[in-house]
Amino acid sequence: MNFDEYQLDDDVYDEMFLPDGTPRGHSQDLYELLCQLSSEELANIQDRVTRSFSNEGITFTVYGDEEAEERIIPIDSLPRVLSNTEWQQIEAGLTQRISALNSFLEDVYGRAGSNDPYGEPRIVHDGVIPVDMVRGCPQYRVEMRGFSAPHGTWVAICGTDIVRTNDGFRVLEDNLRVPSGVSYMLANREAVKKSYRRLYRRSRVREIEHYGQVLQTTLRELAPGGQSDPTIVLLTPGVYNSAFYEHIFLAREIGAELVEGRDLLVNNGFVYMRTTTGLRRVDVVYRRVDDDFLDPLVFRPDSLLGVPGLLHAYKLGNVALVNAPGTGVADDKSMYAYVPDMIRYYLGEEPILANVETYLCRRREDLEYTLDNLQDMVVKRVGESGGYGMLVGPHASPQEREEYAEQLRADPAGFISQPVLALSRAPCFIDGRFEPRHVDLRPFVLHGRETRIVPGAFCRVALRRGSLVVNSSQGGGGKDFWVVED
């Protein structure tokens, strides 16, 4: 097949092609192979990749007004390729970012070394971030005040969303609470690699299959008392959770027991797992349960998903919780705007990866700007995720924009806005031909005694023509992502 009908846009960065239509150096081998394959061969590859996801039951859940629907996640068979030099910039930027975010959380809650652990965070006292942005955040957990996370690691697992425009890479958001999607990164690789084995070897694609080992190493490092062989469990809300497939997958990858809240109990400040041979002490809990449902003695008393006394055991230092409760104060969409300031304040460095320009609608001037330019903005609720509750101005009708404007005026602090970005595009095989679609990246950062990042990411793609929304819940899908040697 050829790319004769593939359309480039001067305003949009294309991941495979230079503006003049010639393939980028790191995409040359992939381009040449695709041109050699017939449409029937490419269709067979796409069919094999799709069937592999179906056979493995790789699903996600879409929540509607009345019911939840489980679907097989769509996958495009053409990998997105990045040079190792470009990846090194992303890796350095993410390492810098996770360090600053953990420092911020320690400052907000722990104040290690302070004579007044319940006083103002330093970053607030010094006027960098307004106090109401911290204490007024719905994700701020007063129950964590005065606690210092072991090794300063509040966030051990982070999924950061990165986009590229003609101006370079930018961070779209950080996911610090219970980040998901890493199983799709690994499943995409497994499915696509089989169809391009020779190209894969010739391109010297950097491996990601060892992610489970790296995650296990990170969790072991956080075990109380530096135990060499700690008992690790993955705490899941259960089979009806949208990411349950991933919970099963990761528990298997790291050799952990997959447990629900009813499988654990706390006795004398220690956490135990019920087994057929009796109780077994637990050292590390990789939790995929939200803060609100984690411990009914501390958070929501009606929760049936958590473990009574779990937070007490964590504060005593008898169990590690990954990630720590309260981390949501640092990935709130309003707090996101201050991450570059955190990097400068805690690390004394300039950010390696820029943020997207962000307007905080809690500020009068930002609200007025947003309302005046709604047709050109993306507006998001600060507490939503997965693409829900979002307005993409250019794609909304005048009536939809007006209805959204009323919500903005009623609750300005509940929203942020950003200019519509010309997200980079990559070729996809759709309806028997190559078409460009917008893409982003979610690399996964692991932070224990050191920071580790495998050279890969869950590459999300907006499969609907013209769409900028890559979330699976909103019609998006996935791609394999290759980092190749320069």
Side-chain angles (χ1 to χ4, degrees):
M1 282 188 64
N2 58 53
F3 284 82
D4 291 348
E5 297 182 16
Y6 187 85
Q7 296 182 347
L8 296 173
D9 185 333
D10 290 342
D11 295 327
V12 180
Y13 187 98
D14 193 276
E15 296 290 337
M16 179 174 280
F17 295 103
L18 294 166
D20 65 2
T22 58
R24 300 182 186 277
H26 55 266
S27 295
Q28 182 72 40
D29 288 346
L30 174 61
Y31 168 77
E32 291 177 357
L33 175 63
L34 295 178
C35 289
Q36 293 167 14
L37 296 173
S38 68
S39 59
E40 291 77 14
E41 289 171 316
L42 285 164
N44 287 336
I45 291 173
Q46 181 64 55
D47 183 60
R48 281 201 304 272
V49 168
T50 300
R51 278 191 286 109
S52 72
F53 267 47
S54 180
N55 293 341
E56 291 292 327
I58 302 173
T59 62
F60 68 101
T61 303
V62 176
Y63 294 101
D65 295 334
E66 298 180 359
E67 61 181 13
E69 179 184 354
E70 190 172 52
R71 301 178 186 173
I72 300 296
I73 187 169
I75 176 174
D76 178 68
S77 58
L78 309 187
R80 175 183 173 182
V81 183
L82 204 71
S83 72
N84 193 53
T85 298
E86 292 173 311
W87 173 255
Q88 287 174 345
Q89 180 196 357
I90 291 176
E91 188 176 49
L94 293 176
T95 300
Q96 180 191 61
R97 202 169 177 97
I98 195 70
S99 177
L101 287 165
N102 271 308
S103 295
F104 170 71
L105 288 162
E106 183 66 17
D107 188 12
V108 163
Y109 292 119
R111 295 294 305 280
S114 170
N115 293 324
D116 180 14
Y118 299 98
E120 265 188 359
R122 290 184 294 113
I123 200 167
V124 169
H125 180 270
D126 291 342
V128 179
I129 297 178
V131 66
D132 66 297
M133 290 289 296
V134 177
R135 301 282 165 82
C137 175
Q139 305 303 324
Y140 174 75
R141 303 297 181 192
V142 66
E143 298 86 358
M144 300 306 296
R145 289 175 64 176
F147 176 76
S148 284
H151 315 298
T153 301
W154 291 80
V155 180
I157 305 168
C158 174
T160 296
D161 294 340
I162 295 176
V163 297
R164 170 147 57 181
T165 69
N166 278 326
D167 296 324
F169 293 111
R170 293 181 181 274
V171 173
L172 190 62
E173 67 179 36
D174 305 287
N175 297 282
L176 308 179
R177 285 169 261 181
V178 283
S180 63
V182 73
S183 62
Y184 302 140
M185 173 186 82
L186 296 168
N188 285 342
R189 174 60 54 86
E190 179 67 19
V192 172
K193 179 180 178 180
K194 294 176 182 177
S195 297
Y196 300 103
R197 288 195 183 278
R198 290 183 181 177
L199 173 66
Y200 185 89
R201 290 194 297 268
R202 188 168 70 249
S203 299
R204 294 186 297 167
V205 181
R206 295 188 63 186
E207 299 291 349
I208 61 171
E209 287 82 351
H210 60 296
Y211 175 85
Q213 298 172 6
V214 178
L215 174 57
Q216 185 188 69
T217 297
T218 300
L219 296 175
R220 286 173 177 268
E221 288 179 349
L222 298 173
Q227 299 176 56
S228 60
D229 188 25
T231 297
I232 302 172
V233 300
L234 192 152
L235 177 62
T236 175
V239 296
Y240 297 109
N241 184 263
S242 62
F244 186 66
Y245 160 79
E246 177 160 290
H247 302 167
I248 298 173
F249 180 93
L250 287 174
R252 184 172 66 244
E253 285 284 305
I254 62 178
E257 293 290 338
L258 184 67
V259 300
E260 297 182 32
R262 61 191 176 187
D263 299 319
L264 302 178
L265 63 88
V266 176
N267 186 31
N268 291 327
F270 292 92
V271 180
Y272 295 90
M273 171 175 53
R274 294 182 173 93
T275 74
T276 55
T277 58
L279 297 180
R280 181 181 177 185
R281 183 176 161 185
V282 172
D283 304 298
V284 180
V285 177
Y286 175 13
R287 55 105 172 191
R288 298 298 294 260
V289 174
D290 291 338
D291 283 4
D292 284 341
F293 303 96
L294 194 57
D295 184 340
L297 297 183
V298 179
F299 302 116
R300 283 185 54 161
D302 60 342
S303 172
L304 301 177
L305 304 177
V307 184
L310 181 59
L311 190 64
H312 176 64
Y314 178 50
K315 287 188 170 183
L316 289 175
N318 294 332
V319 70
L321 268 180
V322 178
N323 288 330
T327 56
V329 71
D331 76 358
D332 177 271
K333 286 181 171 62
S334 293
M335 193 63 72
Y336 156 89
Y338 289 94
V339 176
D341 294 322
M342 296 178 196
I343 292 171
R344 297 183 185 101
Y345 183 80
Y346 295 114
L347 307 182
E349 301 169 358
E350 283 300 309
I352 296 170
L353 296 173
N355 268 20
V356 175
E357 184 180 13
T358 302
Y359 297 87
L360 305 181
C361 295
R362 62 174 57 234
R363 300 171 179 162
R364 181 186 295 273
E365 62 274 19
D366 285 9
L367 174 62
E368 292 176 355
Y369 180 86
T370 300
L371 291 170
D372 289 343
N373 297 276
L374 205 55
Q375 70 281 0
D376 299 317
M377 307 294 284
V378 175
V379 189
K380 305 174 183 177
R381 292 183 177 274
V382 298
E384 290 282 3
S385 61
Y388 293 101
M390 182 170 71
L391 177 82
V392 181
H395 296 170
S397 67
Q399 180 178 348
E400 288 171 333
R401 290 197 292 267
E402 183 52 41
E403 291 173 354
Y404 208 90
E406 289 301 316
Q407 299 177 46
L408 271 169
R409 295 186 186 99
D411 180 28
F415 296 87
I416 59 115
S417 69
Q418 296 169 329
V420 175
L421 297 177
L423 303 186
S424 67
R425 301 191 305 190
C428 296
F429 185 70
I430 296 175
D431 296 330
R433 65 178 189 172
F434 300 127
E435 293 193 8
R437 291 292 187 269
H438 294 289
V439 291
D440 81 349
L441 286 176
R442 178 175 290 181
F444 293 89
V445 187
L446 301 176
H447 182 83
R449 294 181 183 270
E450 61 182 87
T451 301
R452 304 175 179 92
I453 309 171
V454 299
F458 177 29
C459 177
R460 302 184 299 176
V461 53
L463 291 172
R464 295 173 182 166
R465 182 177 295 172
S467 174
L468 293 168
V469 183
V470 298
N471 305 82
S472 302
S473 57
Q474 309 296 310
K479 271 180 171 291
D480 193 11
F481 171 65
W482 294 5
V483 176
V484 300
E485 298 295 340
D486 297 326

